[in-house]
Amino acid sequence: DLGDLTTAEMNSVAPPAPVYKIVLTGGPCGGKTTSLARLSPFLRERGFEVITCPEAFSILVTNGMPFDYLGAVEGMSVVVQDTVMDMQIGLEDGFERVLRARGKPGVLLCDRGLMDGSAYMGQKEWDRLLEKRDVQCVSELREGRYNAVFHLVTAAEGAEQFYTLENNAVRTETPELAKELDHMTRNAWVGHPNLKIFDNSTNFEKKMQRVVEEMARLVGLPTQMQKVTSKFLLQKEPDLKAFPEDVRVRVFDVEKVYLYEEHINTENFCEEYAFIRKRTTINKDGKVSGSVYGWTGVQKTHEGQIIEKKRIISKREYNSLFNNRDESRHIVRQKRISFLWNIQSFTIHVYQEPVSDMCILHAQVQSTSDSVDQDGEVSIPPFLEVNKKLSPDSEEDEKQYGAYHISLKN
């Protein structure tokens, strides 16, 4: 009986304010600890409740578990990572429940997340762990659980002179191993639609500023970070067999449904809309392995700034909101191909309905990096054929290639 619930219990069931769950990950000496220290006061000063969730593996090690346990007995790595996952889920779920009960906007900052364990295991061991835990689709551990993933690239990659392990007694990696682990950790999160990579192309202070700016954008705070992605029209859908073997690729089917909006705040915004999205993972054999669901609200200010708010929703909530879809718009269906190249995140949107034979490459661009030329042009992967770059300021490009306009009927 809902009438018997306290306010905190009601908030836990149906939180009156959004709670964001963000993973901070990366290779050794990437700035993860400093980022956590910077983000907490930044968010609190702007009205957010903030809790940081510690790394479960570090808890085991700092409480007496030696590293050599991982290879002490056959199958020990699976047992350890299974334990780490149990601990991590318990910590995250408990902290999130407390934040929800508080009833205010909240952010849970997670020191690593559930997918990080896969970077330290072979594929067979990881598959065995997923089977043991009855995980039907890795999306449950990735975008179905976290709003965003911030990957801070190790200093051993691009800032070698600053690589040190003095601030973390748990870590013992050489620079070469640090780069290898960083690469494997990045690959572990490929497929998350909000995977943000922070490289070492700027000095450390500016790297931290980029992290803070991205967080502000994610939770809907004013930010100076205007340009987040560059878009390119491709000649055709790429052949996945042409991708290099060391490039990890994830494929999804996406259903994007725009919602009917009764009230639009025209005083503060010139454009305001929302949509829901069903994202279905497609395995290498072409079979469907599971779906996750999300809601996105978009607001465009009169000054041209775009503010997005996102949250993870259940299948039940998706189906309920689907009934409030905007009937003046088509349902947009796409195949999406996500991958990393040159320490940068790319996603290809292959349109299927209401238009087809149109492929748009989205490239993450936050600031000058090794994968961005001095004139701001993205270094395109050589296995893709680009027709032209789309201008973010062109109304014509937006109307012809933007999903919001493509969805309009007639």
Side-chain angles (χ1 to χ4, degrees), residues 134-145:
D134 196 28
V135 176
Q136 301 299 317
C137 179
V138 291
S139 293
E140 301 171 21
L141 311 180
R142 199 175 53 211
E143 61 268 31
R145 186 171 180 86

mmCIF file with all atom_site columns, all heavy atoms in Angstrom, residues 134-145:
data_model
loop_
_atom_site.group_PDB
_atom_site.id
_atom_site.type_symbol
_atom_site.label_atom_id
_atom_site.label_alt_id
_atom_site.label_comp_id
_atom_site.label_asym_id
_atom_site.label_entity_id
_atom_site.label_seq_id
_atom_site.pdbx_PDB_ins_code
_atom_site.Cartn_x
_atom_site.Cartn_y
_atom_site.Cartn_z
_atom_site.occupancy
_atom_site.B_iso_or_equiv
_atom_site.pdbx_formal_charge
_atom_site.auth_seq_id
_atom_site.auth_comp_id
_atom_site.auth_asym_id
_atom_site.auth_atom_id
_atom_site.pdbx_PDB_model_num
ATOM 1  N N   . ASP A 1 134 ? 24.042 -15.230 -15.293 1.00 0.00 ? 134 ASP A N   1
ATOM 2  C CA  . ASP A 1 134 ? 22.815 -15.205 -16.094 1.00 0.00 ? 134 ASP A CA  1
ATOM 3  C C   . ASP A 1 134 ? 22.576 -13.835 -16.728 1.00 0.00 ? 134 ASP A C   1
ATOM 4  O O   . ASP A 1 134 ? 21.449 -13.340 -16.751 1.00 0.00 ? 134 ASP A O   1
ATOM 5  C CB  . ASP A 1 134 ? 21.608 -15.607 -15.242 1.00 0.00 ? 134 ASP A CB  1
ATOM 6  C CG  . ASP A 1 134 ? 20.388 -15.975 -16.092 1.00 0.00 ? 134 ASP A CG  1
ATOM 7  O OD1 . ASP A 1 134 ? 20.590 -16.430 -17.235 1.00 0.00 ? 134 ASP A OD1 1
ATOM 8  O OD2 . ASP A 1 134 ? 19.252 -15.778 -15.625 1.00 0.00 ? 134 ASP A OD2 1
ATOM 9  N N   . VAL A 1 135 ? 23.666 -13.232 -17.221 1.00 0.00 ? 135 VAL A N   1
ATOM 10 C CA  . VAL A 1 135 ? 23.555 -11.953 -17.933 1.00 0.00 ? 135 VAL A CA  1
ATOM 11 C C   . VAL A 1 135 ? 23.250 -12.251 -19.396 1.00 0.00 ? 135 VAL A C   1
ATOM 12 O O   . VAL A 1 135 ? 24.068 -12.839 -20.105 1.00 0.00 ? 135 VAL A O   1
ATOM 13 C CB  . VAL A 1 135 ? 24.861 -11.134 -17.822 1.00 0.00 ? 135 VAL A CB  1
ATOM 14 C CG1 . VAL A 1 135 ? 24.759 -9.849  -18.643 1.00 0.00 ? 135 VAL A CG1 1
ATOM 15 C CG2 . VAL A 1 135 ? 25.161 -10.803 -16.364 1.00 0.00 ? 135 VAL A CG2 1
ATOM 16 N N   . GLN A 1 136 ? 22.063 -11.873 -19.845 1.00 0.00 ? 136 GLN A N   1
ATOM 17 C CA  . GLN A 1 136 ? 21.633 -12.189 -21.200 1.00 0.00 ? 136 GLN A CA  1
ATOM 18 C C   . GLN A 1 136 ? 22.273 -11.270 -22.233 1.00 0.00 ? 136 GLN A C   1
ATOM 19 O O   . GLN A 1 136 ? 22.487 -11.650 -23.383 1.00 0.00 ? 136 GLN A O   1
ATOM 20 C CB  . GLN A 1 136 ? 20.106 -12.080 -21.300 1.00 0.00 ? 136 GLN A CB  1
ATOM 21 C CG  . GLN A 1 136 ? 19.367 -12.994 -20.339 1.00 0.00 ? 136 GLN A CG  1
ATOM 22 C CD  . GLN A 1 136 ? 19.668 -14.461 -20.578 1.00 0.00 ? 136 GLN A CD  1
ATOM 23 O OE1 . GLN A 1 136 ? 19.715 -14.917 -21.718 1.00 0.00 ? 136 GLN A OE1 1
ATOM 24 N NE2 . GLN A 1 136 ? 19.879 -15.211 -19.504 1.00 0.00 ? 136 GLN A NE2 1
ATOM 25 N N   . CYS A 1 137 ? 22.577 -10.017 -21.831 1.00 0.00 ? 137 CYS A N   1
ATOM 26 C CA  . CYS A 1 137 ? 23.130 -9.036  -22.758 1.00 0.00 ? 137 CYS A CA  1
ATOM 27 C C   . CYS A 1 137 ? 24.013 -8.063  -21.980 1.00 0.00 ? 137 CYS A C   1
ATOM 28 O O   . CYS A 1 137 ? 23.611 -7.563  -20.925 1.00 0.00 ? 137 CYS A O   1
ATOM 29 C CB  . CYS A 1 137 ? 22.002 -8.272  -23.461 1.00 0.00 ? 137 CYS A CB  1
ATOM 30 S SG  . CYS A 1 137 ? 22.561 -7.009  -24.611 1.00 0.00 ? 137 CYS A SG  1
ATOM 31 N N   . VAL A 1 138 ? 25.226 -7.796  -22.497 1.00 0.00 ? 138 VAL A N   1
ATOM 32 C CA  . VAL A 1 138 ? 26.149 -6.907  -21.783 1.00 0.00 ? 138 VAL A CA  1
ATOM 33 C C   . VAL A 1 138 ? 25.610 -5.489  -21.671 1.00 0.00 ? 138 VAL A C   1
ATOM 34 O O   . VAL A 1 138 ? 26.079 -4.720  -20.831 1.00 0.00 ? 138 VAL A O   1
ATOM 35 C CB  . VAL A 1 138 ? 27.543 -6.873  -22.456 1.00 0.00 ? 138 VAL A CB  1
ATOM 36 C CG1 . VAL A 1 138 ? 28.255 -8.199  -22.299 1.00 0.00 ? 138 VAL A CG1 1
ATOM 37 C CG2 . VAL A 1 138 ? 27.434 -6.476  -23.922 1.00 0.00 ? 138 VAL A CG2 1
ATOM 38 N N   . SER A 1 139 ? 24.620 -5.123  -22.493 1.00 0.00 ? 139 SER A N   1
ATOM 39 C CA  . SER A 1 139 ? 24.017 -3.794  -22.377 1.00 0.00 ? 139 SER A CA  1
ATOM 40 C C   . SER A 1 139 ? 23.446 -3.567  -20.981 1.00 0.00 ? 139 SER A C   1
ATOM 41 O O   . SER A 1 139 ? 23.386 -2.427  -20.507 1.00 0.00 ? 139 SER A O   1
ATOM 42 C CB  . SER A 1 139 ? 22.908 -3.612  -23.423 1.00 0.00 ? 139 SER A CB  1
ATOM 43 O OG  . SER A 1 139 ? 23.437 -3.591  -24.727 1.00 0.00 ? 139 SER A OG  1
ATOM 44 N N   . GLU A 1 140 ? 23.037 -4.656  -20.311 1.00 0.00 ? 140 GLU A N   1
ATOM 45 C CA  . GLU A 1 140 ? 22.524 -4.548  -18.942 1.00 0.00 ? 140 GLU A CA  1
ATOM 46 C C   . GLU A 1 140 ? 23.587 -3.991  -18.000 1.00 0.00 ? 140 GLU A C   1
ATOM 47 O O   . GLU A 1 140 ? 23.267 -3.292  -17.034 1.00 0.00 ? 140 GLU A O   1
ATOM 48 C CB  . GLU A 1 140 ? 22.089 -5.923  -18.425 1.00 0.00 ? 140 GLU A CB  1
ATOM 49 C CG  . GLU A 1 140 ? 20.998 -6.615  -19.237 1.00 0.00 ? 140 GLU A CG  1
ATOM 50 C CD  . GLU A 1 140 ? 20.798 -8.051  -18.790 1.00 0.00 ? 140 GLU A CD  1
ATOM 51 O OE1 . GLU A 1 140 ? 21.194 -8.386  -17.646 1.00 0.00 ? 140 GLU A OE1 1
ATOM 52 O OE2 . GLU A 1 140 ? 20.266 -8.847  -19.580 1.00 0.00 ? 140 GLU A OE2 1
ATOM 53 N N   . LEU A 1 141 ? 24.854 -4.304  -18.284 1.00 0.00 ? 141 LEU A N   1
ATOM 54 C CA  . LEU A 1 141 ? 25.963 -3.861  -17.432 1.00 0.00 ? 141 LEU A CA  1
ATOM 55 C C   . LEU A 1 141 ? 26.566 -2.549  -17.908 1.00 0.00 ? 141 LEU A C   1
ATOM 56 O O   . LEU A 1 141 ? 27.458 -2.011  -17.260 1.00 0.00 ? 141 LEU A O   1
ATOM 57 C CB  . LEU A 1 141 ? 27.070 -4.927  -17.414 1.00 0.00 ? 141 LEU A CB  1
ATOM 58 C CG  . LEU A 1 141 ? 26.649 -6.370  -17.147 1.00 0.00 ? 141 LEU A CG  1
ATOM 59 C CD1 . LEU A 1 141 ? 27.859 -7.275  -17.156 1.00 0.00 ? 141 LEU A CD1 1
ATOM 60 C CD2 . LEU A 1 141 ? 25.909 -6.470  -15.822 1.00 0.00 ? 141 LEU A CD2 1
ATOM 61 N N   . ARG A 1 142 ? 26.075 -2.049  -19.020 1.00 0.00 ? 142 ARG A N   1
ATOM 62 C CA  . ARG A 1 142 ? 26.714 -0.882  -19.661 1.00 0.00 ? 142 ARG A CA  1
ATOM 63 C C   . ARG A 1 142 ? 25.705 0.260   -19.737 1.00 0.00 ? 142 ARG A C   1
ATOM 64 O O   . ARG A 1 142 ? 25.448 0.932   -18.744 1.00 0.00 ? 142 ARG A O   1
ATOM 65 C CB  . ARG A 1 142 ? 27.230 -1.318  -21.042 1.00 0.00 ? 142 ARG A CB  1
ATOM 66 C CG  . ARG A 1 142 ? 28.285 -0.448  -21.671 1.00 0.00 ? 142 ARG A CG  1
ATOM 67 C CD  . ARG A 1 142 ? 28.771 -1.062  -22.962 1.00 0.00 ? 142 ARG A CD  1
ATOM 68 N NE  . ARG A 1 142 ? 27.676 -1.384  -23.886 1.00 0.00 ? 142 ARG A NE  1
ATOM 69 C CZ  . ARG A 1 142 ? 27.699 -2.384  -24.746 1.00 0.00 ? 142 ARG A CZ  1
ATOM 70 N NH1 . ARG A 1 142 ? 28.728 -3.188  -24.808 1.00 0.00 ? 142 ARG A NH1 1
ATOM 71 N NH2 . ARG A 1 142 ? 26.672 -2.590  -25.565 1.00 0.00 ? 142 ARG A NH2 1
ATOM 72 N N   . GLU A 1 143 ? 25.073 0.500   -20.886 1.00 0.00 ? 143 GLU A N   1
ATOM 73 C CA  . GLU A 1 143 ? 24.152 1.628   -21.031 1.00 0.00 ? 143 GLU A CA  1
ATOM 74 C C   . GLU A 1 143 ? 22.833 1.407   -20.309 1.00 0.00 ? 143 GLU A C   1
ATOM 75 O O   . GLU A 1 143 ? 22.095 2.365   -20.035 1.00 0.00 ? 143 GLU A O   1
ATOM 76 C CB  . GLU A 1 143 ? 23.898 1.961   -22.506 1.00 0.00 ? 143 GLU A CB  1
ATOM 77 C CG  . GLU A 1 143 ? 23.259 0.853   -23.318 1.00 0.00 ? 143 GLU A CG  1
ATOM 78 C CD  . GLU A 1 143 ? 24.264 -0.032  -24.004 1.00 0.00 ? 143 GLU A CD  1
ATOM 79 O OE1 . GLU A 1 143 ? 25.383 -0.220  -23.451 1.00 0.00 ? 143 GLU A OE1 1
ATOM 80 O OE2 . GLU A 1 143 ? 23.963 -0.548  -25.083 1.00 0.00 ? 143 GLU A OE2 1
ATOM 81 N N   . GLY A 1 144 ? 22.512 0.162   -19.974 1.00 0.00 ? 144 GLY A N   1
ATOM 82 C CA  . GLY A 1 144 ? 21.304 -0.105  -19.212 1.00 0.00 ? 144 GLY A CA  1
ATOM 83 C C   . GLY A 1 144 ? 21.461 0.220   -17.734 1.00 0.00 ? 144 GLY A C   1
ATOM 84 O O   . GLY A 1 144 ? 20.481 0.185   -16.984 1.00 0.00 ? 144 GLY A O   1
ATOM 85 N N   . ARG A 1 145 ? 22.671 0.555   -17.328 1.00 0.00 ? 145 ARG A N   1
ATOM 86 C CA  . ARG A 1 145 ? 22.959 0.798   -15.908 1.00 0.00 ? 145 ARG A CA  1
ATOM 87 C C   . ARG A 1 145 ? 23.526 2.194   -15.632 1.00 0.00 ? 145 ARG A C   1
ATOM 88 O O   . ARG A 1 145 ? 23.239 2.784   -14.583 1.00 0.00 ? 145 ARG A O   1
ATOM 89 C CB  . ARG A 1 145 ? 23.947 -0.262  -15.410 1.00 0.00 ? 145 ARG A CB  1
ATOM 90 C CG  . ARG A 1 145 ? 24.200 -0.192  -13.923 1.00 0.00 ? 145 ARG A CG  1
ATOM 91 C CD  . ARG A 1 145 ? 24.996 -1.389  -13.442 1.00 0.00 ? 145 ARG A CD  1
ATOM 92 N NE  . ARG A 1 145 ? 25.222 -1.305  -11.998 1.00 0.00 ? 145 ARG A NE  1
ATOM 93 C CZ  . ARG A 1 145 ? 24.377 -1.738  -11.079 1.00 0.00 ? 145 ARG A CZ  1
ATOM 94 N NH1 . ARG A 1 145 ? 23.253 -2.309  -11.436 1.00 0.00 ? 145 ARG A NH1 1
ATOM 95 N NH2 . ARG A 1 145 ? 24.661 -1.606  -9.782  1.00 0.00 ? 145 ARG A NH2 1
#
